[in-house]
Amino acid sequence: MVDVDFDVIVVGGGVAGCVTAYLLAKAGREVLLVERGEEPGAKNLSGDVFYSRVMEQIFPGFAKNAPVERHITHNVVSLLNATSAVNIDYWDQRLADPVNAVTVLRAQLDPWLAEQCEEAGVTMLPMVRVDKLLIEHDQVVGIVAGDDVLRSHVVVAADGVNSFLAQYAGPRKKEPLKNLAVGVKSVIGLSSDTIRERFHVTDDEGTAYAVVGDATEGVAGGGFLYTNKESISIGVVLRLDDLKAKAKTSSEVHDHFLAHPAIAPLIAGGEILEYGCHLTIEAGPGMTQKRQTYPGLVLVGDAAGFTLNTGLTIRGMDLAAESGRCAAEAVNEALDVEDYSQEAMDRYVAKWHDSWLGKDMATYAKAPKFLENDAMYGQVGQLAADVFYNIYNHDLTPRRHLRAAAFEAVRGSDLSLRQLAQIGFGAVRAL
């Protein structure tokens, strides 16, 4: 048997990496978790909406014990135009019990996850940058960090969107701009009383907005806003190729969104606590078709492409957690039989395909293509606003039937009935 320093080395202390390390340590394995930052969460831009029921399975009592901000029971989908907005406003108490989704600040959540790992027996190694994988006889057998060489039976790459380890292990190139997006976010301080009044929430409940249209000035992507305990996280996610094609800057689009007359009142009087940007995945279902395993190596979380943007929800952390759970199960089985071959690592892929993670990735496989339609970022929202304008604009002319008002709006739109039918059919197929 080959001498190793650890059974498993996990690179990256985000949700996927921590879940993998935690579950393997709970199974009695010797696990090292290597993190580039001073501590997990130190290099993460604060905040996200976390669909957290998977975490309740892994960490029972997660919503009560973890440092979460608010429980999301109020969701708003907004078609934003230059001078109007059409919102689908959905509140449901059933989303509170059991808790369905929470808002989190990653600078608080990730250290908590690291604490759970340490309590389970994981060895933490912060402030270490992994330079390369240690490969012998076409199998990954550890990592190299500076002058240090650490050996293991399996390495788990949880090192994010531009996974260096995935590129190092095999012929996996950098993702094209079309598959990536940049998220620009501000965290704006507001009192809890102000948040409750403006967003019509009580106690620890919260609101999440998904915004499309003028939020991005026509660039493929969307805006978001969600409530924390005493702050608002707000910003835009912009597909890199379309941002470049439309010759806009991400910071300008972000500022335009925050200044919009439908958005500005929601954050008025607030203090900017944090501002930054982060690279994210735009075409998750396509990226997961690429290779995720090598002998002695598995990719989890963003490194493996696990992100879903449906236009209604943006999901990443719950998918990362489930990928970590599947990876831990497969790696644990490989350790049992001392088999770290390609076939053994591929059992991880089979496990996530068979789980709800694989089913969701398949269900929304067409969503990225649907969201490439330029009409979604202007014409559709304006048409919806024109329909309602014809209904609510009482200009002392006789009222018309809703159907007539709708057809008048369509006739005045740049969209034909055929185009609308294609968009509707595409939405049904994609979502």
Side-chain angles (χ1 to χ4, degrees):
M1 188 174 180
V2 179
D3 288 335
V4 295
D5 300 294
F6 297 90
D7 293 324
V8 182
I9 296 174
V10 179
V11 181
V15 173
C18 283
V19 165
T20 308
Y22 172 81
L23 291 175
L24 284 167
K26 292 283 283 187
R29 306 302 183 180
E30 292 290 330
V31 182
L32 173 68
L33 180 56
V34 181
E35 166 58 35
R36 187 176 61 184
E38 294 181 6
E39 64 176 357
K43 58 185 179 63
N44 281 326
L45 182 62
S46 288
D48 216 337
V49 175
F50 197 161
Y51 294 90
S52 57
R53 289 180 181 172
V54 61
M55 296 296 276
E56 292 290 344
Q57 294 181 334
I58 300 168
F59 302 100
F62 174 80
K64 293 181 179 179
N65 300 325
V68 304
E69 293 290 300
R70 290 182 181 271
H71 303 170
I72 297 299
T73 57
H74 186 189
N75 291 273
V76 180
V77 178
S78 179
L79 299 175
L80 197 65
N81 308 303
T83 59
S84 63
V86 178
N87 293 343
I88 300 173
D89 194 320
Y90 170 62
W91 170 84
D92 200 323
Q93 188 61 41
R94 291 174 297 180
L95 296 176
D97 188 16
V99 175
N100 177 66
V102 297
T103 51
V104 298
L105 298 173
R106 292 292 297 272
Q108 298 175 15
L109 175 65
D110 289 13
W112 181 87
L113 289 172
E115 289 177 9
Q116 311 313 301
C117 288
E118 288 186 297
E119 290 177 7
V122 175
T123 300
M124 304 295 297
L125 190 60
M127 299 182 66
V128 171
R129 188 187 72 180
V130 175
D131 295 312
K132 61 182 180 179
L133 294 167
L134 183 63
I135 301 176
E136 296 177 355
H137 308 296
D138 296 323
Q139 180 170 318
V140 176
V141 294
I143 61 171
V144 178
D147 295 329
D148 295 322
V149 176
L150 296 170
R151 303 181 70 92
S152 64
H153 295 303
V154 178
V155 173
V156 177
D159 55 334
V161 176
N162 275 333
S163 175
F164 164 73
L165 297 184
Q167 296 174 44
Y168 190 89
R172 186 167 176 176
K173 299 179 181 179
K174 287 187 176 182
E175 293 298 325
L177 295 183
K178 183 179 179 180
N179 288 354
L180 300 173
V182 60
V184 186
K185 178 185 295 182
S186 289
V187 179
I188 298 176
L190 287 172
S191 71
S192 57
D193 288 341
T194 300
I195 290 172
R196 283 193 292 268
E197 292 171 4
R198 288 186 185 175
F199 295 93
H200 310 292
V201 294
T202 60
D203 302 325
D204 58 356
E205 294 187 0
T207 300
Y209 278 69
V211 189
V212 69
D214 194 63
T216 60
E217 296 189 278
V219 176
F224 59 86
L225 180 155
Y226 45 85
T227 56
N228 304 311
K229 288 179 180 177
E230 295 185 331
S231 66
I232 303 295
S233 293
I234 183 171
V236 292
V237 179
L238 308 166
R239 207 177 71 209
L240 287 180
D241 65 324
D242 205 41
L243 183 67
K244 181 179 179 180
K246 292 186 168 67
K248 294 183 180 294
T249 67
S250 58
S251 60
E252 289 173 347
V253 175
H254 165 275
D255 294 348
H256 170 83
F257 177 46
L258 269 61
H260 191 282
I263 301 300
L266 299 176
I267 57 175
E271 175 188 2
I272 295 180
L273 304 177
E274 184 176 357
Y275 173 86
C277 61
H278 180 69
L279 193 65
T280 186
I281 299 167
E282 182 66 16
M287 289 179 64
T288 57
Q289 303 304 312
K290 299 179 180 180
R291 190 172 177 182
Q292 297 180 327
T293 61
Y294 302 82
L297 176 73
V298 298
L299 312 181
V300 295
D302 283 351
F306 290 118
T307 298
L308 278 175
N309 177 9
T310 69
L312 303 176
T313 60
I314 298 176
R315 296 168 55 194
M317 289 188 291
D318 61 321
L319 309 181
E322 180 67 1
S323 73
R325 189 194 66 77
C326 292
E329 189 174 301
V331 170
N332 195 47
E333 291 174 1
L335 290 166
D336 279 340
V337 297
E338 300 181 13
D339 179 6
Y340 317 110
S341 65
Q342 183 68 59
E343 181 180 2
M345 298 298 97
D346 282 345
R347 294 193 184 101
Y348 156 63
V349 178
K351 287 180 184 295
W352 75 252
H353 271 292
D354 288 340
S355 75
W356 60 262
L357 170 56
K359 304 297 189 297
D360 282 5
M361 297 302 289
T363 296
Y364 296 113
K366 294 181 173 64
K369 182 67 177 178
F370 170 69
L371 294 174
E372 290 178 12
N373 192 327
D374 281 345
M376 295 298 301
Y377 306 101
Q379 294 161 300
V380 171
Q382 189 58 55
L383 175 58
D386 289 346
V387 170
F388 283 101
Y389 180 76
N390 286 344
I391 294 170
Y392 288 105
N393 176 36
H394 288 264
D395 57 0
L396 302 183
T397 60
R399 294 296 86 200
R400 288 158 296 169
H401 193 278
L402 174 60
R403 182 174 59 185
F407 273 119
E408 179 179 333
V410 171
R411 284 195 298 269
S413 171
D414 293 334
L415 295 172
S416 67
L417 284 174
R418 181 177 181 179
Q419 287 174 305
L420 284 172
Q422 290 174 336
I423 292 171
F425 181 67
V428 169
R429 293 186 65 200
L431 305 180

